[in-house]
Amino acid sequence: YAEQTVTFTVTDNASEPAPVSGATIDVNGARKRTGADGTAVFNLRAGSYPASIKKSGYTTQSATITVAGAAVNQAVTLPIAQ
């Protein structure tokens, strides 16, 4: 299988959700930070991967990313820590 593009879009849980820049996304040990628009892009082969999304001041989120024969858009809500 060829690699597929997996785009994470991270927003906060405000009533008007805003992009979260500088969040660290770890997919199976590969780490990237979100840009100003809250996105980070990985290239992954088919399979399932554990992912964690974290940033200071927010509650860390976990997800399982499943990649098959098409690009994946993964929306993540990162709750503001209380």
Side-chain angles (χ1 to χ4, degrees):
Y1 285 105
E3 290 186 338
Q4 298 295 338
T5 302
V6 178
T7 304
F8 287 85
T9 302
V10 182
T11 55
D12 63 25
N13 64 337
S15 53
E16 299 275 331
V20 177
S21 64
T24 299
I25 302 177
D26 183 319
V27 177
N28 211 32
R31 290 191 180 94
K32 294 195 177 188
R33 285 187 181 270
T34 55
D37 60 356
T39 66
V41 178
F42 290 80
N43 291 306
L44 300 171
R45 292 183 180 277
S48 289
Y49 302 91
S52 69
I53 303 91
K54 62 186 175 184
K55 183 178 179 180
S56 181
Y58 295 84
T59 303
T60 298
Q61 299 294 298
S62 296
T64 300
I65 309 307
T66 301
V67 179
V72 176
N73 289 307
Q74 183 76 27
V76 178
T77 299
L78 207 55
I80 298 166
Q82 298 303 318

